[in-house]
Amino acid sequence: GQSLEQPSEVTAVEGAIVQINCTYQTSGFYGLSWYQQHDGGAPTFLSYNALDGLEETGRFSSFLSRSDSYGYLLLQELQMKDSASYFCAVKGSQGNLIFGKGTKLSVKP
Amino acid sequence: DAGVTQSPTHLIKTRGQQVTLRCSPKSGHDTVSWYQQALGQGPQFIFQYYEEEERQRGNFPDRFSGHQFPNYSSELNVNALLLGDSALYLCASSSRGKLGAQHFGDGTRLSIL
């Protein structure tokens, strides 16, 4: 089977740093993606890691360790607009995305 | 540059009816995937189209079918609608070589009465 685990909720204050972890169990691994989704909106692509290491895109960074079946999304200098749900997703062999249940991030003033 | 567009945005149907949802991919993308998202859950993969053929299918019954046209746009058809089909249906497009970076449309909210 295939499964992804991520925390259901995380709360942080404006200006802080938050890390959202994702562990996965899949038959075959081809990459880990992260998506942001605001209430009522569409998922927005944030990052994709196919190889081990850290990928940085502005205030967001994503990390992957294939040997540990683990990745995380790091959000720095949190802003109120970062309040949203964040999903990790594993890419299957044919390119389909298998999503976790999502982490709801609440940023407080 | 238009992103992924879906129509309609909202739809209300009754049990047993049939529905067709439409998707135009982002310019330059040739692969279209469809996902179903229930409230409070992550998107679930339905199927993927490339070169007008269904390339992979998730765990959805045959009531769910699709099509891709030569201009890469796509349709999702659902027959014999059930109450449990109520969900947000998302279309995502990508280029074949960048399937890890799929771009989503705003979705069609389907309600079954």
Side-chain angles (χ1 to χ4, degrees), chain A residues 30 32-35 37 40-45 47-48 87 91-102, chain B residues 33 35 37 40-45 48 55-56 88 90 96-107 109:
Chain A
Y30 300 89
L32 185 71
S33 303
W34 288 92
Y35 286 80
Q37 187 175 30
T44 302
F45 172 74
S47 68
Y48 173 69
F87 294 89
K91 191 180 86 165
S93 61
Q94 295 297 318
N96 61 302
L97 293 176
I98 303 157
F99 283 82
K101 292 186 176 181
Chain B
S33 302
Y35 294 82
Q37 187 176 24
Q41 301 293 317
Q44 298 293 312
F45 175 72
Q48 182 184 92
R55 297 294 174 166
Q56 194 177 19
L88 179 67
L90 295 161
R96 196 63 184 165
K98 293 187 177 181
L99 292 171
Q102 296 183 20
H103 294 253
F104 285 80
D106 288 337
R109 174 72 62 187

